[in-house]
Amino acid sequence: SPKEYANILQVMEEVQSALGQDVIEETVRALCDRPGPKDLALHRELLEFPWADVFTTNYDMLLEDAAKDVISHSYGYVYEETDFVTAPKPRIVKVHGSFPSSRPFIVTGKDYREYERTHQGFVNAVRQTLLENTLVLIGYSGEDPDSISIASLSFEIFGVSIISILF
């Protein structure tokens, strides 16, 4: 529920305040950077579709690893807003940061509240995608902060929330 997400974001804010951003980033890295074989079959199958772009909030490199085995086309990668200029389409766009370099990760309530101001390039890319393409959300509840932001953008553009259509 939205209340649960708000609680998680508040906890992350408190951890950041008490222990610092470095502790959060190392924890995220430890959780995502697990050694051993990974089953990327589903990731690879999803990437075989002819997407205009793939937007992800995940910090891990699973999509990038799976993209290496996609036969139908190659993906460019956007880790920072400046990458939009050089990354060929279709692109995997990491809107909340990514390993190995894109920092800071978007993890606190403050990060979400300031996102539209601090990450205008990513917001504009999603806005443009909403104008030109069908946006498919996979793995979202519809109640998390990202779905709510996309619903707000769709309402701003079209006067109707696409989230109500999709969920």
Side-chain angles (χ1 to χ4, degrees), residues 2-167:
K3 185 177 180 180
E4 290 170 0
Y5 285 105
N7 290 339
I8 291 168
L9 296 175
Q10 180 62 37
V11 167
M12 294 305 286
E13 237 170 269
E14 291 173 15
V15 169
Q16 182 184 46
S17 177
L19 303 174
Q21 183 70 24
D22 290 343
V23 170
I24 289 176
E25 290 181 9
E26 288 308 313
T27 302
V28 169
R29 177 183 294 277
L31 291 170
C32 292
D33 197 22
R34 297 185 182 216
K38 295 172 177 68
D39 182 4
L40 300 175
L42 181 58
H43 294 78
R44 196 170 25 263
E45 288 178 35
L46 285 170
L47 291 176
E48 288 285 355
F49 283 94
W51 306 115
D53 280 321
V54 175
F55 293 90
T56 180
T57 57
N58 293 354
Y59 313 113
D60 59 48
M61 300 293 287
L62 296 176
L63 287 174
E64 290 92 323
D65 291 344
K68 294 173 189 171
D69 296 324
V70 171
I71 297 169
S72 58
H73 49 275
S74 331
Y75 282 91
Y77 303 103
V78 176
Y79 300 109
E80 298 177 15
E81 292 166 310
T82 54
D83 295 335
F84 280 112
V85 176
T86 57
K89 288 188 172 194
R91 303 168 295 202
I92 294 175
V93 182
K94 306 291 282 272
V95 298
H96 282 183
S98 181
F99 297 125
S101 63
S102 184
R103 304 280 196 291
F105 299 128
I106 306 302
V107 293
T108 68
K110 181 181 178 192
D111 296 336
Y112 278 91
R113 287 189 302 275
E114 295 180 352
Y115 190 84
E116 191 166 350
R117 181 181 58 77
T118 59
H119 294 80
Q120 292 178 358
F122 287 120
V123 173
N124 288 337
V126 172
R127 184 177 278 124
Q128 193 66 34
T129 297
L130 283 169
L131 282 170
E132 296 177 353
N133 301 287
T134 300
L135 190 63
V136 178
L137 302 176
I138 299 172
Y140 285 90
S141 69
E143 296 177 343
D144 60 272
D146 296 305
S147 294
I148 292 167
S149 294
I150 291 169
S152 295
L153 280 175
S154 68
F155 188 79
E156 179 183 312
I157 294 169
F158 301 113
V160 63
S161 173
I162 60 165
I163 299 301
S164 60
I165 297 168
L166 296 175
F167 293 102

